[in-house]
Amino acid sequence: MTDIPNSLPDHHGSTLLSAPDIEVDAREVFGVDIDMKVPAFSEADERVPDLDPAYVFDGDTTLAILAGFKYNRRVMVQGYHGTGKSTHIEQVAARLKWPCIRVNLDAHISRIDLVGRDAIVLRDGQQVTEFREGLLPWALQTPTALVFDEYDAGRPDVMFVIQRVLETEGKLTLLDQNRVIRPNPHFRLFSTANTVGLGDTSGLYHGTQQINQGQMDRWNIVVTLNYLPAATESAIILAKVPNTDETTVANMVKVADLTRQGFIGGDISTVMSPRTVISWAQNTAIFNNIGFAFRLSFLNKCDEAERMIVAEYYQRVFGEDLPESVIGK
């Protein structure tokens, strides 16, 4: 087999810039307490995530992700769903203007989706079969940050493909093409997971797998992202829905915290993310009714058997009985 240059087939396209061309100050841009200059791009192409000016960064998680971008470390962000793991990586990439692509490793993602497959194409009026590279070979050859969501839910055949590129200088071998692809020096790899590779011992995340410890060992940095402090979450919601009463927002966050405690304790199977609380605040402004907006934003998404418990969380904070509560029934 021979090494091939970092050339891309025409049908894949390429990134706007071939490499980072500027540096940004981590302390100034992200508010983290460290003297670090991080490579960045001066221009954003279509693969750069949209920037959210109101986004609030978690210090430890931000430092871990920035180390991934600057030093080419493989970074895994672990935590409960709804904590904003993927969004955190995207918002760092947005400020660095670094092309970023997310791939959800659900049961439908197979090895050939990542590596590529033979396809029938027309050339000079004739049907011919040619190999079309998948997302992984393309990303590997470009200055792209590739994020594997739900990493601990990936199929075994997919995980072993990913294992090949987890090494910092890991090459990808395309057996069908008798080729070896060298990674671009500015290719970056991240993942998000609900567990840390040991499987689901709590019963909260069905479908997660135990990850080969040889593979887990190849992730250079593993950081845990928890739910935001109540004051920080309230500030985010007020920034998103500025006309909302501060006390009302603080109580909304209290309800959200109760659902998270109930979720962790196994009492309910659905949890309120900060995004859900923002929707609740927005819907309250639309309907001018906090309880009705709560039902539309979250309660109706819950299992019918659990709605009475969730309605009780609401009653504890707002002192109002909903139709789904015990008294309401």
Side-chain angles (χ1 to χ4, degrees):
M1 294 188 180
T2 57
D3 290 342
I4 63 171
N6 292 331
S7 59
L8 293 174
D10 292 338
H11 63 274
H12 278 307
S14 59
T15 54
L16 185 63
L17 297 176
S18 60
D21 58 339
I22 61 172
E23 288 186 332
V24 300
D25 185 270
R27 190 189 306 274
E28 179 183 333
V29 176
F30 299 97
V32 291
D33 187 19
I34 190 172
D35 294 322
M36 180 189 290
K37 299 292 185 181
V38 186
F41 292 80
S42 59
E43 296 182 71
D45 76 3
E46 61 183 5
R47 300 175 183 88
V48 174
D50 294 333
L51 189 143
D52 179 0
Y55 191 79
V56 176
F57 290 94
D58 173 75
D60 291 348
T61 306
T62 303
L63 284 173
I65 296 170
L66 289 176
F69 278 108
K70 180 174 176 63
Y71 298 106
N72 195 16
R73 310 300 283 169
R74 304 305 194 225
V75 181
M76 173 183 286
V77 183
Q78 180 268 335
Y80 291 110
H81 75 273
T83 53
K85 300 182 292 296
S86 305
T87 305
H88 209 300
I89 299 170
E90 285 187 325
Q91 286 306 308
V92 171
R95 283 155 177 77
L96 300 177
K97 295 181 181 176
W98 204 299
C100 181
I101 296 177
R102 286 170 57 181
V103 179
N104 194 307
L105 294 185
D106 57 34
H108 299 289
I109 294 292
S110 66
R111 176 187 179 279
I112 59 176
D113 292 323
L114 288 184
V115 175
R117 69 185 77 195
D118 288 328
I120 298 175
V121 297
L122 282 176
R123 291 196 183 279
D124 300 324
Q126 300 291 322
Q127 286 188 345
V128 296
T129 301
E130 68 176 32
F131 183 78
R132 293 293 182 95
E133 288 182 353
L135 181 61
L136 186 56
W138 176 84
L140 197 65
Q141 298 173 85
T142 61
T144 299
L146 186 58
V147 183
F148 287 119
D149 276 337
E150 312 299 340
Y151 187 74
D152 46 0
R155 291 166 39 168
D157 59 328
V158 171
M159 304 305 284
F160 281 109
V161 170
I162 296 172
Q163 184 165 325
R164 302 179 196 175
V165 298
L166 278 175
E167 300 288 353
T168 303
E169 300 298 328
K171 303 174 185 177
L172 178 64
T173 303
L174 298 180
L175 295 176
D176 297 339
Q177 296 296 297
N178 197 32
R179 298 192 300 172
V180 177
I181 298 178
R182 290 180 176 274
N184 185 291
H186 307 290
F187 167 75
R188 298 293 183 264
L189 190 60
F190 300 89
S191 69
T192 68
N194 297 128
T195 67
V196 287
L198 302 177
D200 178 29
T201 57
S202 64
L204 298 178
Y205 296 106
H206 302 293
T208 53
Q209 316 287 339
Q210 287 191 355
I211 300 174
N212 182 307
Q213 285 302 298
Q215 182 167 149
M216 278 299 299
D217 194 49
R218 287 171 167 80
W219 288 98
N220 309 124
I221 298 174
V222 177
V223 63
T224 298
L225 179 60
N226 291 314
Y227 293 109
L228 295 169
T232 304
E233 188 169 350
S234 295
I236 293 172
I237 296 162
L238 287 169
K240 292 285 188 181
V241 195
N243 294 325
T244 309
D245 177 70
E246 291 186 21
T247 303
T248 299
V249 170
N251 286 335
M252 288 177 170
V253 172
K254 288 180 182 178
V255 175
D257 283 339
L258 287 174
T259 69
R260 293 160 191 169
Q261 294 169 20
F263 175 77
I264 294 170
D267 297 326
I268 59 175
S269 57
T270 311
V271 67
M272 289 187 75
S273 68
R275 186 183 297 111
T276 305
V277 184
I278 291 171
S279 294
W280 182 12
Q282 291 170 335
N283 289 337
T284 298
I286 293 172
F287 300 108
N288 197 29
N289 186 314
I290 300 173
F292 183 60
F294 175 72
R295 294 170 66 201
L296 297 184
S297 306
F298 179 70
L299 188 59
N300 289 344
K301 298 177 183 178
C302 300
D303 187 299
E304 287 190 20
E306 300 172 354
R307 290 181 186 178
M308 192 179 299
I309 299 174
V310 177
E312 182 187 338
Y313 295 155
Y314 178 89
Q315 195 279 334
R316 280 192 219 171
V317 175
F318 285 95
E320 176 190 347
D321 292 312
L322 298 176
E324 291 81 2
S325 65
V326 177
I327 296 176
K329 289 182 179 300

